[in-house]
Amino acid sequence: MSDFRATIQARVLVLDGAMGTLLQERGLKPGGCPEEMNLSAPEVVEGIHREYAEAGADILVTNTFGGSRVKLAHYGLEGRLAEINGRAVELARRAARPGSFVAGSIGPTGRFLEPVGDAGFDEMVEIFGEQVRAFAEAGADLVTCETFLDIRELRAAVVACREFSTLPVIAQMTFDDAGRSVLGTPPEAAAVTLDALGADVIGSNCGLGVEGIYTLLEKMRSVTSLPLISQANAGLPVLRDGVTVFPGTPEEMVAYHDRMIALGVRVIGGCCGTTPVHIAAMRRALEGKDPSWKPPARRAFLSSRTAVVPVGSGAPCAVIGERINPTGKKGYSQELREGKTAYIRREAQTQSAAGAALLDVNCGLPGVDEAAALERAVYAVAGVSAAPIVLDSSDPAALEAGLKAADGKVLINSVSGEEKSLRTILPLARKYGAAVIGLALDETGIPPTAQGRVDVARRILDAALAAGLPREDVVIDCLALTVSAEPDQARQTLQALREVKSDLGLSTVLGVSNISFGLPARPVLSSIFFAMALEAGLDAAIVNPREEKMMDAFRAAMVLLGKDVRAEAYIAHYAQTSAPVAAPSPADRPAGIRERLAAAVIEGDRDGIVALVEEALSEGLSPLDVSNEGLLPGLEEVGRRFGANLIFLPQVMLSSETMQAAFARLREAMGGAGGESRGKILMATVEGDIHDIGKNIVCTLLENHGFEVIDLGKNVPAGRIVEEALRHKVDAVGLSALMTTTLHQMEVTLDRLREEGVKVFTMLGGAVVTQDYADSVGADLYAADALEAVKRVKALMGDRQ
């Protein structure tokens, strides 16, 4: 058997093309289960594999994209999961050419993880693990996770691949033409996260044609040294004679081959619309090409769902905000005991606005369930800030909870040279794709000399490498000790910092303000020490970014050390004022109850919204005033920020949940009445389509804007939609579809509504739906996303109360 990992270093491999459309051409009924054909029509599935193999595909992907228990349950087939997935590997293997590979395909479940959805991380790992085990037992050569929209779900899938097998892993996300996933992740953040998790090949499939995929992969290459995969659609879908087709020719599909190869793409295949003819063209286009490839040097990055921050390797020093820590903070400590997160969200916003690139999160407090608190804190920070997270805990259980809750690659603060610490923390970092801060201390305490600290750092590095972490993901804290008690230690710390960088080649971090503890005018001393450490090569600093003297030293040093090119950041901060002041906290800004209600919706303050509604009612506002003058303006601002790409769907959903909590209290105030409805809307995913995430989001937002929604769910026949529309006397019908194969059912449903004389507004949406298609079938409106749907429905229905 060939070694996949070695082979992709030696040459570029061709992966096969689309499966679903070919299955439909050969007997798969609309709404049927493609994976079931592995059992009922194995000759059809094997025949498609064979056509791709004969076209020159080196990798055959199993017919198991929807082979998870969640997807199979829609057809009552979850009990046959192992059989379906195992048989799929067998069919691909029988068709594969000698020396080629069989990849077990894993697709998304259609569920979102907490807090956006209701799925737990462990639950998702187990769901994907069932498929992985089946692939491994059946003899697959690798696993490919494809078409994922949510980076947290893909994290769970990759963790499952590594936990339940030793098979190589390909991990791919799908992005829109704006370069973001549905939940706002850019390709750079996806690449950093997947690289850290230990994926072997990363890239993008579906969603875009070859030019768009190339642009995404360029961005991934800027932050990863891993081999890349390109699996583009055959062009962007267009509507021809009422049918959605992919117009990309074989020649167009190979137009970027040379650039792809130069970029380090080691696997090239096709997604929607590609056929064996396209794959044969890809195979021919590789003939005579130089197959060699040298990966670029690895660099260290951290990521959130929506952002990437470099650490070390010549990047500017990363400021780590230190304020989310209960030490000396009675208010935060009380919130931790009560399970609230208002302080965390406020500090995350404030510190980010003041210049923090990373946010340290500490929930350690006696009597508090630290694991539960750290999970809540990670969710809260991710909801209001794009800054990657530094998990500050020595409790392995709490760290693991925080790591599962994170959207991206975090920094663990910290591991030490103690054997117990190394043994418990480093495996967590490897499993969940995190970097670590290594404290230069061990069982004997903090070495008094620079050389002693370097020796401890070396032991931490050796243990990290043995655990499977790359050296770039080890950041050493040389430990700033209070100079009032140990005057010589400032020099020892700076010397240790220099030697860790020169002798070990590692990045460094310091808790800078520790140096001045117990002395007056602490910011003066701390800021000077900060500047000295930056000159010595400090790569990250744990500070209070609202302390302006510290940030003055930081901004000036970045200019003087040549890390703020053309002093752009310095000028941006100081050009408007000769007396800069610290960024104000949102809590410091005076606001009336209406403004505070709106702010709570914008910030997704589920914990505090009900208390604000109570306060508004006690001040004499009517429930309608609370809604129209406080809550809805907040949601309108959420829509504006979403449209401007300032926030993304996770923040929108958090705001929607905050609205729901507020409306629940308002309904109580009105004696259970919901207030006057703006209109009644029936929503459904059309027959044959089992995808409903987008439709569910639209339903939630419509309800929050005062519409009464009747949600019929997914895979709904036209007859039932007509029946329910008549029974409920609705004002509008909204239809959703994600697959090109179910688009026609939208037209069928609209025709049935007209035939039955149901006079309603009609709205279409979904990944494969376009304005042209909506116009061609006579729908009243089309919406590209949930907030646009709300806006257009309100306009179409006269925005009536």
Side-chain angles (χ1 to χ4, degrees), residues 1-2 11 50 53 57-58 60 92-101:
M1 182 181 295
S2 299
R11 63 187 178 93
R50 196 170 302 281
D58 299 299
L60 298 182
R93 178 69 67 202
R94 291 206 303 236
R97 295 179 295 115
S100 57
F101 303 93

Side-chain angles (χ1 to χ4, degrees), residues 46 92 498 752:
E46 183 180 343
R498 293 187 178 94
R752 287 289 300 276

Side-chain angles (χ1 to χ4, degrees), residues 592-593 596 609-621:
I593 187 60
R596 288 158 57 207
I609 191 65
V610 173
L612 287 174
V613 171
E614 298 274 10
E615 182 180 339
L617 294 173
S618 70
E619 289 186 10
L621 272 69

